[in-house]
Amino acid sequence: MQINIDSGRGKKDKSVWNLADAKNRFSEVVNLALHSGPQTITRRGEKVVVIDEKSYQKLTGKKQSFIDFLASGPGLQGVDLTRDKSTMRKVSL
């Protein structure tokens, strides 16, 4: 059974579950998290949240690797990467 919490805006929050009901209907909790948004599970006043992976990655700031970052950048076509073979300049010390 879901817990209905009045959010103060006249709507009942139907995304909060007590632990026993969440255990019994875990598949439903997961499906709702995937399709309707985060689901909160409460146990003796403590709360945990079930969210989809995309939301988790966004929250934890998982970023692509440096190699993937470089590979996704602009290409090097048209950039002259040949080494300048002229002699070094003279420096007085």
Side-chain angles (χ1 to χ4, degrees):
M1 173 170 120
Q2 291 179 315
I3 301 170
N4 293 324
I5 297 177
D6 188 349
S7 63
R9 292 179 239 142
K11 295 192 316 188
K12 299 285 185 180
D13 185 357
K14 299 199 185 253
S15 62
V16 180
W17 302 76
N18 67 44
L19 181 61
D21 290 332
K23 285 168 63 175
N24 291 332
R25 297 169 63 185
F26 189 67
S27 292
E28 183 179 351
V29 173
V30 170
N31 285 333
L32 285 169
L34 289 170
H35 302 292
S36 300
Q39 301 295 303
T40 304
I41 301 171
T42 62
R43 180 187 70 177
R44 291 182 245 134
E46 296 179 310
K47 295 179 182 180
V48 297
V49 178
V50 178
I51 59 173
D52 64 289
E53 183 182 14
K54 185 177 179 182
S55 298
Y56 175 76
Q57 297 296 338
K58 187 187 260 187
L59 289 171
T60 59
K62 298 282 184 189
K63 296 181 174 61
Q64 63 188 154
S65 71
F66 184 64
I67 292 172
D68 291 337
F69 171 75
L70 291 176
S72 69
L76 297 175
Q77 297 83 1
V79 177
D80 182 15
L81 298 175
T82 58
R83 182 175 176 185
D84 183 6
K85 296 187 181 201
S86 62
T87 59
M88 296 176 56
R89 64 180 181 179
K90 292 185 179 186
V91 179
S92 300
L93 296 176

